[in-house]
Amino acid sequence: MESMKLLITNGQAVRNAKLERCGIFCDRGKILEIGDLKGKKADKVIDASGKIILPGLIDCHVHAREPGQAHKEDFLTASQAAVAGGVTTFLAMPNTNPPILDCETLEEERNLAVKCLVNYGFYMCGADNVAEIRKAKNIAGVKIYLDITTGDMKVDDPKLLDKLFASYKRIAVHAEGSKVGESIARIKKTKNMLYLCHLSSKEEMEMMRKEKDHRIFCEVAPHHLFLTEEDEKRLGPFGRMKPSLKSKQDVEALWKGIADGTVDTICTDHAPHTIEEKKSAAPPWGVPGLQTLLPLLLDAVNRRKLSLSKVAELCCENPAKIFKIQNKGKIEEGYDADLVMVDMNLQKEVRNRDMLSKCGWTPFDRKVLKGWPVITVVGGNVVYDGAVHDNRGKEVTFG
Ligand code: NCD
Ligand code: ZN
């Protein structure tokens, strides 16, 4: 698709931890100029009066379900939910069917992702597959499961775990409770980076605060910030995920971790399952999140729980930094033209029927939120403006 010259005027951009009134000119998928761009010619001009412009969100934790589970989600539907939620890049988790354990399956996934409207990257799964990991090209990292969850990829053998933690420069783990400390101890025997997915408890947050350094990072997921175990009682299987929802005290500890810099990213763990699967006798773990992440956070900004620059730091800048994703995460000249315009005053109810994920439901159904994305730009193209428009996302480049 030909990218056009796009000019965004009269908005305020979140840049360098401040709000800056400026025009943004994009061409051939890049941000070319930022400043007072009055009189500049473009194919499309967006008047962003009263809107705030953030870098497009980068979600490091998405289960796009391909290959093999396209009845739950696929790269197209996941990306439709993404653009409606202001997410312009996501990293796809490897607990697919089959899981991404070898380069051949990784290539199959690459082919399936060409329909993705947003930019994307892939993890490889850690099992007894170190030789394949060494051969893999341009991956986000190796995901290692240390607990039972969807996909049954848990690894127990300590010797194998040592090998896996040493197998690649970026290691992401599903680790709960004491497994957090064990993972940190294990990564310290290597020079690699550790990304702890979806920390959810006070105890885990305290461990992280103690151990945090330049190569140990952690993520929290929106459902752990905005729901508690009380909601699980109300939601039943639709409030069931790994790690499970926790107490109010745990939720407060996560917010404290955000405030004091212990938390590095907020990513969705978008894990769609069908309504039928969720209503079955053995409901699978996981909830969708791509479309509701930013509205939940903007609503929290309106309630003074965090600042807009903190949202940009945790959802844009840090993901790009941690995973060394080139040219993304900031509104800067030369960076990719991935942007989201938000209306901080727009109040709207989250509705199952508005969800674009194939699963068609959300644990936040009927929640009224103030602050919504209204226009999403991917690679210089307007891909969401209330309706979704076609686009070809690109595979990101990892450093
Ligand atoms: C995820 C899934 O469904 O793939 N489920 C979940 O409850 N979070 C797997 C995971 O990330 O643990
Ligand atoms: Zn997980």
Side-chain angles (χ1 to χ4, degrees):
M1 198 175 303
E2 268 309 292
S3 167
M4 51 178 183
K5 291 180 167 55
L6 173 70
L7 178 63
I8 302 165
T9 58
N10 301 324
Q12 293 189 83
V14 179
R15 271 164 49 81
N16 310 313
K18 287 193 297 280
L19 274 184
E20 185 179 320
R21 196 164 282 286
C22 58
I24 302 173
F25 178 70
C26 310
D27 190 16
R28 273 159 286 154
K30 301 271 181 209
I31 298 170
L32 281 197
E33 234 182 303
I34 299 171
D36 177 17
L37 303 177
K38 282 201 183 66
K40 188 110 194 156
K41 294 260 179 309
D43 304 308
K44 187 178 172 79
V45 179
I46 298 175
D47 181 352
S49 301
K51 309 285 189 299
I52 290 170
I53 306 150
L54 289 157
L57 274 65
I58 302 174
D59 188 344
C60 310
H61 196 149
V62 169
H63 300 274
R65 304 298 191 207
E66 284 191 299
Q69 296 173 316
H71 66 287
K72 297 177 196 272
E73 192 77 292
D74 61 44
F75 276 98
L76 177 62
T77 52
S79 66
Q80 288 166 339
V83 288
V87 173
T88 55
T89 297
F90 66 65
L91 306 184
M93 282 295 172
N95 61 335
T96 48
N97 187 16
I100 314 299
L101 290 169
D102 54 65
C103 295
E104 197 184 325
T105 316
L106 177 62
E107 286 314 308
E108 188 189 330
E109 186 183 27
R110 267 201 174 104
N111 291 331
L112 291 162
V114 296
K115 57 187 174 293
C116 198
L117 305 177
V118 299
N119 309 302
Y120 50 87
F122 309 105
Y123 290 90
M124 197 169 232
C125 205
D128 202 356
N129 62 338
V130 173
E132 290 293 316
I133 292 169
R134 295 248 149 86
K135 277 196 293 183
K137 296 224 166 65
N138 198 41
I139 53 172
V142 172
K143 174 73 181 282
I144 305 169
Y145 292 90
L146 298 166
D147 292 280
I148 298 277
T149 186
T150 310
D152 247 344
M153 293 308 300
K154 182 166 183 258
V155 181
D156 285 308
D157 175 15
K159 282 216 179 71
L160 178 55
L161 283 173
D162 278 337
K163 268 204 262 171
L164 282 173
F165 274 64
S167 69
Y168 195 72
K169 57 189 168 184
R170 288 182 294 268
I171 300 295
V173 290
H174 178 128
E176 299 185 36
S178 62
K179 301 275 165 68
V180 169
E182 284 172 33
S183 300
I184 292 172
R186 201 159 250 129
I187 207 71
K188 282 184 174 170
K189 296 195 249 175
T190 76
K191 290 194 162 61
N192 298 333
M193 168 287 242
L194 179 68
Y195 183 75
L196 292 146
C197 294
H198 47 45
L199 294 193
S200 63
S201 73
K202 184 169 179 208
E203 171 210 354
E204 292 168 358
M205 207 35 59
E206 278 164 7
M207 165 68 75
M208 183 64 198
R209 184 171 293 117
K210 222 172 58 207
E211 296 289 345
K212 191 172 183 63
D213 74 1
H214 66 286
R215 63 184 177 102
I216 301 176
F217 305 99
C218 77
E219 164 195 280
V220 300
H223 39 267
H224 294 125
L225 290 172
F226 296 101
L227 299 171
T228 67
E229 55 199 0
E230 291 304 309
D231 294 294
E232 186 177 347
K233 289 184 197 146
R234 173 176 63 86
L235 292 163
F238 297 94
R240 226 176 96 117
M241 77 291 288
K242 288 285 235 159
S244 63
L245 293 173
K246 301 289 190 310
S247 72
K248 244 182 112 186
Q249 288 71 30
D250 290 303
V251 173
E252 273 160 22
L254 301 185
W255 281 104
K256 180 165 173 266
I258 289 175
D260 72 11
T262 305
V263 172
D264 298 288
T265 70
I266 304 178
C267 295
T268 62
D269 187 13
H270 178 81
H273 298 282
T274 67
I275 291 175
E276 293 67 38
E277 288 167 336
K278 279 296 202 180
K279 285 186 169 164
S280 71
W285 294 291
V287 297
L290 269 169
Q291 201 173 338
T292 43
L293 168 67
L294 184 56
L296 286 164
L297 290 176
L298 296 178
D299 184 75
V301 170
N302 273 323
R303 290 185 291 111
R304 310 249 181 275
K305 295 275 282 181
L306 79 174
S307 69
L308 268 177
S309 356
K310 193 74 185 179
V311 173
E313 182 192 327
L314 295 179
C315 299
C316 314
E317 237 178 285
N318 285 354
K321 254 192 236 165
I322 293 168
F323 287 89
K324 297 199 160 52
I325 305 172
Q326 308 291 293
N327 290 315
K328 294 199 187 293
K330 284 196 214 182
I331 303 179
E332 288 287 347
E333 289 172 3
Y335 273 59
D336 292 342
D338 299 334
L339 301 164
V340 54
M341 272 156 261
V342 306
D343 180 345
M344 292 304 291
N345 296 314
L346 179 61
Q347 189 159 312
K348 234 171 45 176
E349 197 180 7
V350 177
R351 297 300 296 254
N352 283 337
R353 61 160 186 257
D354 294 330
M355 293 298 113
L356 300 177
S357 163
K358 205 177 274 186
C359 74
W361 61 274
T362 161
F364 299 103
D365 182 48
R366 293 180 183 272
K367 200 171 166 75
V368 176
L369 300 173
K370 187 175 172 189
W372 284 82
V374 287
I375 297 183
T376 306
V377 172
V378 183
N381 297 315
V382 175
V383 187
Y384 177 78
D385 57 6
V388 176
H389 304 288
D390 196 19
N391 187 52
R392 287 285 151 269
K394 291 197 175 112
E395 185 175 350
V396 300
T397 308
F398 299 101

